[in-house]
Amino acid sequence: MMQIQRLSPDKYAQLYTHQHVFNSVEFTELNRIKAQELHYLSIHDTKHRFGIILGERNGVLRSPFSAPFGGFTTNGKQTIKRMEEAVDLLLAYAEKQSMQLAITPQPLIYDETQLSKWVSVLSRKMSVRYIDLNYYVDLSRIDNYEKIIDRSAKKNLHNALKSSFNLIKLCSNEHKEVARAYEVIRHNREEHNYPLRMTLEQVWQTVKNVIKSDFFVLEHKGRDVAAAQVFHVAEGIAQVVYWGDIREYSALRPMNFLTYSLFLYYHKEGLRILDIGPSTEEGLPNYGLCEFKENIGCSITLKYCFTK
């Protein structure tokens, strides 16, 4: 029979190799201040099979507690029966702590087979709180990009390609370069009244210490008119954390130029997926963002949030 055990961060890191960066001990410890307490848990019999990191906040044990997604880390291929037993042990642990449990695994596209099994298990053991529509680009399709985009997006791209845009990849090891991209994003979020959940210092500490990251700005006649921040989050997958343009220049379609340029860049880098992130907030769609992402060639995968 399996049992559940609480570990130190160092011991957890020795036993479990994370499948995505948000489940790493380094990322968790960097964000430790955002949780009242951290629980590094191993579920094992004669072998350490399942690991999960939970952050305690407001009476809820959360995975993730400060990231787009979390979920279980699995050592090797595991059966559905063992996965069910692991969830039962975790629910019993939460009940013993007199706390609720919330788990948001990564979007299905990250590992369709394994994550589909988790969705099956978690949906039977817990409640589905909401399902987000998570957008992504299959980079293998970029060679035929104009065949997969909407007619209006094609027109906007052609117009953008005629403008005097200059895409610059910044140095993520220099604070002033990171700040340059961040300022464009901050301006964009302010104009659209969108939340900006990471401060410049939080971004800098994350990219300096934990996550391989890329920053881009798009120039037009010497002015920064759009920018993007991208994290390398899993093998073959990068994630757009932030991107956006300055409203004053939106008629020139800088976002069509920027998105196409990024798709080409990561395709040439040999990546499999560019994760664009959800266009829903706790399941509720932002219709404009959904339409934009679909028009520029994004596909949709599901990201589940489970609670009990």
Side-chain angles (χ1 to χ4, degrees):
M1 284 186 59
M2 293 199 295
Q3 58 183 308
I4 191 166
Q5 180 183 6
R6 191 169 177 181
L7 305 174
S8 68
D10 288 344
K11 184 64 175 177
Y12 186 93
Q14 290 174 17
L15 294 173
Y16 293 99
T17 301
H18 56 271
Q19 277 100 39
H20 62 79
V21 71
F22 301 123
N23 272 357
S24 68
V25 170
E26 294 83 1
F27 181 85
T28 302
E29 291 297 314
L30 181 66
N31 291 280
R32 171 179 278 276
I33 194 172
K34 299 175 185 177
Q36 294 159 308
E37 193 171 348
L38 296 179
H39 299 247
Y40 289 91
L41 302 176
S42 174
I43 299 169
H44 58 88
D45 43 26
T46 57
K47 298 179 180 179
H48 289 274
R49 298 186 182 277
F50 305 98
I52 192 166
I53 304 171
L54 301 172
E56 184 180 323
R57 265 193 7 226
N58 302 322
V60 182
L61 292 172
R62 303 173 187 269
S63 173
F65 64 92
S66 179
F69 45 80
F72 287 90
T73 294
T74 305
N75 279 341
K77 185 178 179 181
Q78 301 295 337
T79 65
I80 293 174
K81 185 177 181 181
R82 284 201 186 105
M83 293 161 83
E84 290 175 346
E85 189 177 348
V87 174
D88 285 338
L89 285 167
L90 187 60
L91 288 168
Y93 179 89
E95 185 176 4
K96 189 175 181 180
Q97 304 290 319
S98 298
M99 284 189 245
Q100 298 177 45
L101 181 65
I103 301 176
T104 302
Q106 61 265 53
L108 292 178
I109 193 66
Y110 277 65
D111 185 343
E112 191 103 28
T113 297
Q114 188 77 351
L115 289 165
S116 294
K117 288 160 66 174
W118 278 122
V119 167
S120 171
V121 172
L122 291 167
S123 64
R124 287 182 282 109
K125 301 289 184 178
M126 302 174 69
S127 299
V128 178
R129 186 178 171 213
Y130 58 82
I131 305 171
D132 275 327
L133 297 177
N134 198 94
Y135 287 79
Y136 71 96
V137 177
D138 178 349
L139 295 170
S140 68
R141 303 177 69 199
I142 296 308
D143 286 336
N144 298 308
Y145 183 65
E146 292 204 11
K147 294 181 180 179
I148 66 172
I149 62 176
D150 181 82
R151 186 172 64 178
S152 63
K154 190 184 301 184
K155 179 182 176 182
N156 290 337
L157 176 60
H158 288 170
N159 289 335
L161 291 171
K162 295 173 185 175
S163 300
S164 53
F165 288 126
N166 180 33
L167 182 69
I168 300 171
K169 186 173 186 291
L170 302 172
C171 179
S172 61
N173 294 325
E174 295 186 18
H175 187 277
K176 66 178 181 180
E177 297 274 88
V178 173
R180 180 180 174 184
Y182 184 88
E183 178 57 24
V184 177
I185 298 299
R186 186 200 62 75
H187 193 163
N188 169 267
R189 290 297 189 273
E190 191 175 87
E191 286 185 328
H192 292 277
N193 198 30
Y194 293 157
L196 184 57
R197 293 188 171 93
M198 295 180 76
T199 66
L200 173 58
E201 189 57 29
Q202 287 171 335
V203 170
W204 173 242
Q205 291 299 324
T206 300
V207 305
K208 184 177 73 168
N209 296 311
V210 179
I211 302 179
K212 179 184 176 184
S213 307
D214 300 322
F215 294 85
F216 301 85
V217 292
L218 190 65
E219 282 188 340
H220 182 265
K221 297 182 179 179
R223 289 199 62 183
D224 294 345
V225 301
Q229 173 185 334
V230 181
F231 285 172
H232 291 258
V233 294
E235 185 177 354
I237 303 177
Q239 181 187 58
V240 176
V241 179
Y242 296 125
W243 64 10
D245 63 359
I246 304 300
R247 182 179 288 164
E248 179 185 350
Y249 294 89
S250 60
L252 298 175
R253 306 301 181 185
M255 288 304 296
N256 293 86
F257 188 98
L258 177 64
T259 54
Y260 178 55
S261 299
L262 292 181
F263 300 164
L264 284 177
Y265 176 83
Y266 288 106
H267 176 54
K268 290 176 182 175
E269 288 289 296
L271 270 66
R272 179 173 65 91
I273 295 292
L274 186 62
D275 180 357
I276 311 300
S279 291
T280 48
E281 186 73 29
E282 295 192 352
L284 298 175
N286 179 319
Y287 299 113
L289 281 178
C290 291
E291 185 175 352
F292 171 74
K293 291 179 182 180
E294 289 172 35
N295 285 349
I296 62 170
C298 293
S299 301
I300 301 173
T301 187
L302 298 179
K303 184 172 79 168
Y304 289 80
C305 177
F306 301 95
T307 58
K308 188 162 184 177

